[in-house]
């Protein structure tokens, strides 16, 4: 526990605060003999990094990953992969406006209460910066699972919803726009909305959807570690996430069994896929798909009343460079976490039959 | 892994198939010195058991728990608590109609593919019967956490939705009706709907909501093991669950930051609670609340076309005694899993400060 | 933690006190499709059980294992195997002589201090009775690892030492005598010694050695989970064990590198085997062998001065039926723990190569 | 598993090969609010580093630790502590003499068989260099456990044995000589022996003993995770260790119960301490003490016949700079691992009482 490790067999442990020396992690359990494309790993980081487009935070962090171990002549050796991303951001500046105050709907108050101490320069460990380490690990997991395709995309920005399932979309268009929405028209509408929100000094939430294809039958575990339960945990562990649903999701709760059941084809595939590729917690070979709800970023460019450590009311000024909407940058994080879940079950599945 | 253990410090391992000799489990890590009310544990089982009302399955299983260890003179000793619930159901009967066929949207196909063998008499390990063991463990967790109140209730049956938050309801009314909905009028409507659905030989999904009050500040872990991430996993690990949202949930993704932020009172409480009692993955002392979406039960009393092991199309007859709607019996399960999550973080929190 | 689970992939959790209703356990992660010989499991229990010969405790416990789940038509299903052994011993009798007193070199004092409560009827959880559950799990592990041979035997009783390595012995003779020493002459000498010690109302320690053959190359993990480290932990977790050495062991610390190195044959086997079948924490295919030192049983049939809960000096009378020497009954326990270690690494090894 | 993490609550994960970019690790679960003496951490590393004296390897590695996270203004924050030690050694040189050959009694053969690939420049992950990361973590654990004193020392070099228990020694003299033996005369004799062995181009094994005082009563867990079992695993996980014994150890197996039992004083302490400070797997407040046997280093400065990857016989020349005897440098490693074991149980013990 203590919560900085994810996975059982492909085990990722991350470390690092937003304003410390470096963030990074260790991957333990990556199979030996995987020829890694290191550029592809960096590209995933670039999809997540700040400053990449006009609708994300304009902070500059190069986010270059350095590998310390576990890779020899470009191939994984089966030993732990240590890596770090140096923080460009650690220069001292003036934090007096946040040092003793609790930003509303941030983790400042809860961290102080829990630990009695916190790195007040930014979000510390609660900063979404930690997810860069996950993207590195997830990018490696993707390369291990070369037959499985992870495709996340933005399906909602505030009240603007895509309203189509992944089977009705051309997911190859996701990267064609800065919102990462595979429907170019909707993407354009979302982009305008985000820009307007930013102009107001405000932020807005959104939805990231994800489809996973090429999943072999049999991944998942009974009882507590159902495949979708672990996917749900993985997604809910991403900063700002408030909800997760897979397959028919919340809408499925309104249906009747006769409407919801996925009838079989003779080859074991199903005619419909309201199950979302998982039955009894175990993959059935159909596409896995799910939605992840992100709340609006708590840091807004408007003055807010709040309290300091001593319970005094203070006014917190909105300043700094923050994301008006987190979902475009969340897309690679969702994919990374999905890959981390799948690789673990994929390895686990090798142990189950005599 | 292998997925039959939940928790890190208050660790519950369950075993048992629906038609085996017994189900049961082991609780490892329960603190010593807790005077247990054994009747209260059995009462929780009774809230879950079949045959308890006119709108649940009419199967008869007494579900009496026997404790084997870890309790001495009514007090926990800190050693593992082993327990079992004998299956009344294990008498041989005719399973020929399901032995070689895969029931649609059940786990038959995926289990067979994964394990190459399965106990075909009912759902085996994938049966919701496994959750009886969770209810036992959760009931003990509740007694350990005597200052925390777990209150789950039905807030939706099919298309019928309660449409009120937990703060607008009198949750003491939950057990006043067989639907377990704290709004008596809505409960009555839901009950009629379930009865009609059953008459059609069909089933229907629903929503269970849960409010947790009295939670101390500081429970939760950074990064992967955020409190709501583990709650989400716990809920998604319950049979038939398709979605989880906490606090503002999916609706929160449509809001602006200026609308969503919970401003502080001078005592550290917040004026609103869209955060759902958790900030940065750590409890802030406000009520934790969440919704859990259940799909309709897959076993319906109508004939369905399906396939057998060899890929032949067969007609599966609807028969047996099954729940038309799972949510009334799911209420104690949701509470049990919530208690298991909280007790683990509560114990963990004792280790964090020097 | 809390220490009642062993293994990562073939995970055994045990429960139960010596004088409770039952002891037992859950095995999670046993591969599916293993046809189990249930008689062979009971036979292993019989090798451990009290009353089996003239030199062990004369208590009567049938130690019959009942399986509750995870086995269907004699074959493992991949789901958790729950089992219990009812205690014959739980009838109330007079415990007043030990209730409030701390037996010297027992766990009474430490348990009371740690937990603040303990089942004073016998050793409770600290009783070696707990190892019966391990023997059940180990017997299943042996059947999973059908190509690996686990052969433990008594190599020392008090000052009487066998003084031969496993390669100089005919291990098929181990069960030919009640000491379980494969050298019949030494066995006879040991037997006489144990009988004499018992006559004195005393107890004596001993050594159990173990050889494991047929181990595939490659089992073990780098760094902390070296194969011999886990074997050592497994053995040291058995009641009364004070030491563990493998391969050249303590004697090896006196040698020079030029004497200790195992030179290779051209097929990768080695000419000598001071390494004990493990190099760098990983099996090299040669026999694994090790020694386990057991202290004398603390319960003696002589009066001892001790203290009660309040620190008063009291005289504790020696009575009851206890083992004069624990090693003959420890032989199947050592084999069981070795099998539990090996099966875990054997499963783990399936995950390491792409 | 995969074996690169140690501990459950104070969890240390290490990474790094001897000739990679860096070694290092992550500590997860260190309590918040511990003021760290960073110099003391570096001093522990200096006790382990190469080149420190005339009787260890003359390789030069500064072994300077850099902390990346988890410490703010000199105080632990409760978040993961990431750290790295850059390798000075990674410059390319000629490895042709070992690239394709298997050094006798090294891990070359087993790693190649297990992983199918290995970093052939030195020992890779199996190099004792990995233990530098453990020393960093252990030094922090020691500071958390400021009331507990860990004192390891050399008690044997080859056939030269100290022959005294820790209570007969002045352990403050351990650092007074380069052997780290608290008996100056014996230290001198050991030093001469090591120098002679090195002159012969050979190596020799030895014994490290350790005493731990100030341990609170109650640390340890029942059954599998007995305190001494975990200590044994910790020690056996150190490179070159072949055996572990605590308290009366192997010699205790020759004693009678009437000789071995530790009788109580009225305050709960014991008159003797053959138990080694642990009863029933749980600390009783008396000194914990144990011995650890190290085999001779496998790399010798003599030619040896061995095989290459293809099974051809080749002659391996003895060259390079290696330790003639590993025990002087092993002393801080033994202390570090002991501290890592104790801190975990110390944290765990906070959770056990209601």
């Amino acid at each position: 526990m203590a919560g900085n490790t994810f996975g059982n067999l492909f085990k990722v442990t991350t470390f690092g605060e937003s304003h410390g020396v470096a963030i990074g992690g260790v991957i333990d359990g990556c199979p030996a003999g995987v020829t890694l494309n290191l550029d592809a790993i960096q590209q995933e980081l670039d999809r997540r990094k700040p400053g990449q487009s006009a609708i994300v935070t304009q902070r500059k962090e190069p986010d270059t990953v350095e590998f310390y171990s576990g890779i020899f002549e470009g191939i994984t050796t089966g030993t732990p992969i240590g890596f770090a991303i140096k923080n460009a951001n650690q220069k001292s500046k003036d934090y007096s406006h946040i040092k003793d105050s609790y930003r509303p709907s941030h983790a400042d108050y809860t961290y102080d209460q829990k630990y009695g101490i916190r790195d007040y320069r930014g979000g510390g460990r609660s900063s979404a910066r930690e997810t860069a380490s996950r993207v590195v690990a997830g990018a490696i997991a993707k390369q291990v699972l070369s037959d499985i395709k992870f495709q996340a995309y933005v399906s909602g920005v505030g009240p603007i919803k895509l309203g189509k399932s992944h089977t009705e979309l051309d997911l190859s268009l996701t990267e064609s726009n800065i919102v990462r929405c595979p429907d170019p028209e909707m993407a354009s509408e979302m982009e305008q909305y985000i820009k307007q929100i930013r102009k107001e000094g405000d932020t807005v939430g959104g939805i990231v959807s994800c489809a996973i294809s090429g999943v072999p039958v049999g991944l998942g575990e009974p009882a507590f570690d159902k495949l979708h339960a672990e996917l749900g945990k993985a997604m809910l562990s991403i900063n700002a996430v408030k909800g997760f649903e897979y397959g028919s999701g919340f809408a499925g709760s309104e249906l009747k069994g006769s409407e919801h059941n996925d009838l079989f084809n003779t080859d074991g595939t199903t005619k419909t896929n309201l199950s979302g590729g998982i039955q009894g917690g175990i993959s059935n070979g159909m596409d896995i798909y799910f939605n992840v709800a992100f709340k609006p970023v708590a840091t807004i460019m408007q003055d807010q009343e709040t309290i300091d450590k001593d319970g005094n009311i203070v006014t917190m000024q909105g300043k700094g460079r923050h994301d008006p909407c987190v979902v475009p940058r969340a897309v690679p994080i969702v994919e990374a976490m999905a890959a981390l879940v799948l690789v673990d079950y994929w390895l686990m599945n090798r142990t189950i039959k005599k």
Side-chain angles (χ1 to χ4, degrees), chain A:
Chain A
M1 202 119 133
N4 297 291
T5 296
F6 191 82
N8 293 285
L9 291 176
F10 190 100
K11 207 184 290 202
V12 181
T13 303
T14 69
F15 65 83
E17 281 84 36
S18 62
H19 290 66
V21 179
I23 62 168
V26 185
I27 302 165
D28 194 13
C30 183
V34 182
T35 302
L36 286 183
N37 179 341
L38 299 180
D39 290 341
I41 299 169
Q42 186 60 49
Q43 278 158 27
E44 291 296 305
L45 273 177
D46 293 346
R47 292 173 77 203
R48 185 207 155 277
K49 80 173 173 188
Q52 66 181 272
S53 80
I55 56 169
V56 305
T57 174
Q58 296 305 302
R59 272 198 319 275
K60 291 294 173 205
E61 289 164 308
D63 281 358
T64 307
V65 62
E66 302 167 43
F67 289 102
Y68 287 169
S69 65
I71 305 169
F72 185 57
E73 299 178 341
I75 302 173
T76 60
T77 59
T79 62
I81 299 172
F83 63 90
I85 301 167
K86 295 285 163 57
N87 285 330
N89 229 350
Q90 56 175 133
K91 57 186 172 301
S92 82
K93 59 171 192 181
D94 187 14
Y95 297 101
S96 54
H97 67 301
I98 53 170
K99 180 173 176 180
D100 295 319
S101 298
Y102 297 134
R103 292 168 295 168
S105 288
H106 269 274
D108 300 346
Y109 173 75
T110 53
Y111 269 60
D112 243 18
Q113 294 289 316
K114 180 181 184 78
Y115 299 106
I117 177 177
R118 96 192 129 90
D119 183 343
Y120 49 74
R121 303 165 303 170
R125 185 66 182 159
S126 74
S127 164
R129 181 150 183 71
E130 184 265 339
T131 58
S133 300
R134 306 185 185 197
V135 168
V136 172
I140 291 176
K142 278 184 183 179
Q143 295 192 32
V144 174
L145 301 173
S146 48
D147 295 335
I148 303 180
K149 204 164 179 182
F150 299 88
Q151 295 180 100
Y153 56 94
V154 170
S155 64
V157 167
I160 308 172
K161 299 287 173 61
L162 199 44
K164 290 179 184 166
S165 89
H166 74 283
T167 55
E168 302 166 289
L169 293 162
D170 177 357
L171 298 185
S172 71
L173 297 178
T174 299
E175 294 295 316
S176 70
N177 60 74
I178 58 178
V179 179
R180 294 202 169 91
C181 171
D183 180 319
E185 272 181 56
M186 295 299 287
S188 170
E189 198 179 324
M190 289 168 175
E191 182 182 334
Q192 294 320 310
Y193 185 70
I194 295 172
K195 285 178 172 167
Q196 175 204 320
I197 285 289
R198 186 177 52 189
K199 209 170 292 172
E200 296 170 11
D202 217 330
T203 60
V204 70
I207 310 273
V208 175
S209 297
C210 185
I212 311 174
S213 56
V215 182
V217 186
L219 304 193
E221 297 297 327
F224 300 110
D225 292 351
K226 291 183 168 76
L227 178 50
H228 55 268
E230 201 66 29
L231 276 172
K233 176 179 172 178
M235 298 307 143
L236 288 154
S237 79
I238 301 172
N239 307 53
V241 171
K242 303 298 286 186
F244 169 86
E245 58 178 3
Y246 84 104
S248 63
F250 275 86
S253 74
E254 304 188 15
L255 297 180
K256 300 180 184 177
S258 58
E259 298 163 333
H260 195 281
N261 283 354
D262 293 317
L263 299 185
F264 283 103
N265 296 311
T266 53
D267 62 356
T269 62
T270 57
K271 296 178 201 299
T272 50
N273 184 16
L274 282 85
S275 297
I278 302 172
Q279 290 177 330
I282 294 170
S283 63
N284 69 351
M286 303 297 289
D287 286 357
I288 294 173
Y289 62 96
F290 55 83
N291 299 318
V292 187
F294 289 79
K295 68 164 189 162
V297 172
T299 305
I300 57 177
M301 298 302 101
Q302 301 175 1
D303 290 357
Q304 295 178 94
E305 215 167 63
T306 190
I307 58 169
D308 66 14
K309 279 191 164 191
D310 305 315
N312 300 311
I313 292 180
V314 294
T315 297
M316 180 161 278
Q317 283 182 291
K319 59 176 187 179
R321 291 161 300 176
H322 289 274
D323 288 280
C325 181
V326 83
V327 288
R329 289 180 59 204
V331 164
I333 305 169
V334 165
E335 289 181 4
M337 290 309 299
L340 290 179
V341 170
L342 270 283
V343 77
D344 219 52
Y345 286 98
W346 181 78
L347 289 171
M348 189 68 188
N349 217 37
R350 296 179 172 191
T351 72
I352 194 58
K353 279 190 201 162
K354 169 81 179 173

Coordinates of all heavy atoms in Angstrom, one line a residue, chain A residues 100-136:
Chain A
D100 N 0.5 29.0 2.6 CA -0.2 28.7 3.8 C -1.7 28.6 3.6 O -2.5 28.4 4.5 CB 0.0 29.8 4.9 CG 1.5 29.7 5.3 OD1 2.0 28.6 5.5 OD2 2.1 30.7 5.5
S101 N -2.1 28.8 2.3 CA -3.6 28.7 2.0 C -4.0 27.4 1.3 O -3.1 26.8 0.7 CB -3.9 29.9 1.1 OG -3.6 31.1 1.7
Y102 N -5.2 27.1 1.5 CA -5.7 25.9 0.9 C -6.5 26.2 -0.3 O -7.6 26.9 -0.2 CB -6.6 25.1 1.9 CG -5.8 24.7 3.2 CD1 -6.3 24.8 4.4 CD2 -4.6 24.0 3.0 CE1 -5.7 24.4 5.6 CE2 -3.9 23.6 4.1 CZ -4.4 23.8 5.4 OH -3.7 23.3 6.5
R103 N -6.1 25.8 -1.5 CA -6.8 26.1 -2.7 C -8.1 25.2 -2.7 O -8.0 24.0 -2.5 CB -6.0 25.8 -3.9 CG -4.8 26.7 -4.1 CD -3.8 26.2 -5.1 NE -3.2 25.0 -4.7 CZ -2.5 24.1 -5.5 NH1 -2.3 24.5 -6.8 NH2 -1.9 23.0 -5.0
P104 N -9.2 25.8 -3.0 CA -10.5 25.0 -3.0 C -10.5 23.9 -4.0 O -9.9 24.0 -5.1 CB -11.6 26.1 -3.5 CG -11.0 27.4 -3.1 CD -9.5 27.2 -3.3
S105 N -11.0 22.8 -3.6 CA -11.1 21.5 -4.4 C -9.7 21.0 -4.8 O -9.7 20.2 -5.8 CB -12.1 21.7 -5.5 OG -13.4 21.8 -5.0
H106 N -8.7 21.5 -4.2 CA -7.4 20.9 -4.4 C -7.1 19.9 -3.3 O -7.9 19.7 -2.3 CB -6.3 21.9 -4.4 CG -6.0 22.4 -5.8 ND1 -5.1 21.8 -6.7 CD2 -6.4 23.5 -6.5 CE1 -5.0 22.5 -7.8 NE2 -5.9 23.5 -7.7
A107 N -5.9 19.3 -3.3 CA -5.5 18.4 -2.2 C -4.8 19.0 -1.1 O -4.3 18.3 -0.2 CB -4.7 17.2 -2.8
D108 N -4.6 20.4 -1.1 CA -3.8 21.0 -0.1 C -4.3 20.7 1.3 O -3.4 20.4 2.2 CB -3.9 22.6 -0.3 CG -3.4 23.0 -1.6 OD1 -2.8 22.2 -2.4 OD2 -3.7 24.2 -2.0
Y109 N -5.6 20.9 1.6 CA -6.1 20.7 2.9 C -5.9 19.2 3.4 O -5.4 18.9 4.5 CB -7.5 21.1 2.9 CG -8.3 20.8 4.2 CD1 -8.0 21.6 5.4 CD2 -9.2 19.8 4.3 CE1 -8.7 21.3 6.6 CE2 -9.8 19.5 5.5 CZ -9.6 20.3 6.6 OH -10.3 20.0 7.8
T110 N -6.3 18.3 2.5 CA -6.3 16.9 2.9 C -4.9 16.4 3.1 O -4.6 15.6 4.0 CB -7.0 16.0 1.9 OG1 -6.5 16.2 0.6 CG2 -8.5 16.3 1.9
Y111 N -3.9 16.8 2.2 CA -2.5 16.4 2.4 C -2.0 17.0 3.7 O -1.3 16.2 4.4 CB -1.7 16.9 1.2 CG -1.6 15.9 0.1 CD1 -2.8 15.4 -0.5 CD2 -0.4 15.3 -0.3 CE1 -2.7 14.5 -1.5 CE2 -0.3 14.3 -1.3 CZ -1.5 13.9 -1.9 OH -1.5 13.0 -2.9
D112 N -2.3 18.2 4.0 CA -1.7 18.8 5.2 C -2.3 18.1 6.5 O -1.6 17.8 7.4 CB -2.2 20.3 5.3 CG -0.9 21.2 5.3 OD1 0.2 20.7 4.9 OD2 -1.1 22.4 5.7
Q113 N -3.6 17.7 6.4 CA -4.2 17.0 7.5 C -3.6 15.6 7.7 O -3.4 15.1 8.8 CB -5.7 16.9 7.3 CG -6.4 18.3 7.4 CD -6.4 18.9 8.8 OE1 -6.7 18.2 9.7 NE2 -6.1 20.1 8.9
K114 N -3.4 14.9 6.5 CA -2.9 13.6 6.6 C -1.4 13.5 7.0 O -1.1 12.7 7.9 CB -3.1 12.9 5.2 CG -2.6 11.4 5.2 CD -2.8 10.8 3.8 CE -2.4 9.4 3.8 NZ -3.5 8.5 4.4
Y115 N -0.6 14.3 6.4 CA 0.8 14.1 6.5 C 1.4 15.1 7.5 O 2.5 14.9 8.0 CB 1.5 14.3 5.2 CG 1.1 13.2 4.2 CD1 0.3 13.6 3.1 CD2 1.6 11.9 4.3 CE1 -0.1 12.6 2.2 CE2 1.2 11.0 3.3 CZ 0.4 11.3 2.3 OH 0.0 10.4 1.4
G116 N 0.7 16.2 7.8 CA 1.3 17.2 8.7 C 2.4 18.1 8.0 O 3.0 18.9 8.7
I117 N 2.7 17.8 6.8 CA 3.7 18.5 6.0 C 3.4 18.3 4.5 O 2.8 17.3 4.2 CB 5.1 17.9 6.3 CG1 6.2 18.6 5.5 CG2 5.2 16.5 6.1 CD1 7.6 18.2 5.8
R118 N 3.7 19.3 3.7 CA 3.6 19.1 2.3 C 4.5 20.1 1.5 O 4.8 21.1 2.0 CB 2.1 19.2 1.8 CG 1.6 20.5 1.3 CD 0.1 20.6 1.2 NE -0.3 21.8 1.8 CZ -0.4 23.0 1.1 NH1 -0.2 23.1 -0.2 NH2 -0.7 24.1 1.8
D119 N 4.9 19.7 0.4 CA 5.6 20.5 -0.5 C 4.6 21.5 -1.1 O 3.9 21.2 -2.0 CB 6.3 19.7 -1.6 CG 7.2 20.5 -2.5 OD1 7.0 21.7 -2.6 OD2 8.0 19.9 -3.2
Y120 N 4.6 22.7 -0.6 CA 3.6 23.7 -1.0 C 3.8 24.4 -2.4 O 3.0 25.1 -2.8 CB 3.4 24.8 0.0 CG 4.8 25.4 0.4 CD1 5.4 26.3 -0.4 CD2 5.4 25.1 1.6 CE1 6.7 26.8 0.0 CE2 6.6 25.6 2.0 CZ 7.2 26.5 1.2 OH 8.5 27.0 1.5
R121 N 5.0 24.0 -3.0 CA 5.2 24.6 -4.3 C 4.5 23.9 -5.4 O 5.0 22.9 -6.0 CB 6.7 24.5 -4.6 CG 7.6 25.2 -3.6 CD 9.1 24.7 -3.8 NE 9.2 23.3 -3.7 CZ 10.3 22.6 -4.0 NH1 11.3 23.2 -4.4 NH2 10.3 21.3 -3.9
G122 N 3.3 24.3 -5.6 CA 2.4 23.5 -6.6 C 1.7 22.4 -5.9 O 1.6 22.4 -4.6
G123 N 1.3 21.4 -6.6 CA 0.5 20.3 -6.0 C 1.3 19.2 -5.4 O 0.8 18.3 -4.8
G124 N 2.7 19.3 -5.4 CA 3.5 18.3 -4.8 C 3.1 16.9 -5.4 O 3.0 16.8 -6.7
R125 N 2.9 16.0 -4.6 CA 2.6 14.6 -5.1 C 1.2 14.5 -5.7 O 1.0 13.6 -6.5 CB 2.7 13.6 -4.0 CG 2.6 12.2 -4.3 CD 3.7 11.7 -5.2 NE 3.5 10.3 -5.6 CZ 4.1 9.7 -6.6 NH1 4.9 10.4 -7.4 NH2 3.9 8.5 -6.9
S126 N 0.4 15.4 -5.4 CA -1.0 15.3 -5.9 C -1.1 16.0 -7.3 O -2.2 16.0 -7.9 CB -2.0 16.0 -4.9 OG -1.9 17.4 -5.0
S127 N 0.0 16.6 -7.7 CA 0.0 17.2 -9.1 C -0.2 16.1 -10.2 O 0.3 15.0 -10.0 CB 1.3 17.9 -9.3 OG 1.5 18.2 -10.7
A128 N -0.9 16.5 -11.2 CA -1.1 15.5 -12.3 C 0.2 15.3 -13.0 O 0.3 14.4 -13.9 CB -2.1 16.1 -13.3
R129 N 1.2 16.0 -12.7 CA 2.6 15.8 -13.2 C 3.0 14.3 -13.0 O 3.7 13.7 -13.8 CB 3.6 16.7 -12.6 CG 5.0 16.5 -13.1 CD 5.8 17.8 -13.1 NE 7.1 17.5 -13.7 CZ 7.3 17.3 -15.0 NH1 6.3 17.4 -15.8 NH2 8.5 16.9 -15.5
E130 N 2.5 13.7 -11.9 CA 2.9 12.3 -11.6 C 2.5 11.4 -12.8 O 3.1 10.3 -13.0 CB 2.2 11.9 -10.3 CG 2.5 10.5 -9.8 CD 1.5 9.4 -10.3 OE1 0.4 9.8 -10.7 OE2 1.9 8.3 -10.3
T131 N 1.5 11.8 -13.5 CA 1.0 10.9 -14.6 C 2.0 10.7 -15.7 O 1.9 9.8 -16.5 CB -0.4 11.3 -15.1 OG1 -0.2 12.7 -15.6 CG2 -1.4 11.3 -14.1
A132 N 3.0 11.6 -15.8 CA 4.0 11.5 -16.8 C 4.7 10.1 -16.7 O 5.0 9.4 -17.6 CB 5.0 12.6 -16.8
S133 N 5.0 9.8 -15.4 CA 5.6 8.5 -15.2 C 4.8 7.3 -15.6 O 5.2 6.3 -16.1 CB 6.0 8.3 -13.7 OG 6.8 9.3 -13.2
R134 N 3.5 7.5 -15.4 CA 2.5 6.4 -15.9 C 2.6 6.2 -17.4 O 2.4 5.1 -17.9 CB 1.1 6.7 -15.4 CG 1.0 7.0 -13.9 CD -0.5 7.2 -13.6 NE -0.7 7.6 -12.2 CZ -1.9 7.5 -11.6 NH1 -2.9 7.1 -12.3 NH2 -2.0 7.9 -10.4
V135 N 2.7 7.4 -18.1 CA 2.7 7.4 -19.5 C 3.9 6.6 -20.0 O 3.9 5.8 -21.0 CB 2.6 8.8 -20.1 CG1 2.9 8.8 -21.6 CG2 1.2 9.4 -19.8
V136 N 5.1 6.8 -19.4 CA 6.3 6.0 -19.7 C 6.0 4.5 -19.6 O 6.3 3.7 -20.5 CB 7.5 6.5 -18.8 CG1 8.7 5.6 -19.1 CG2 7.8 7.9 -19.1

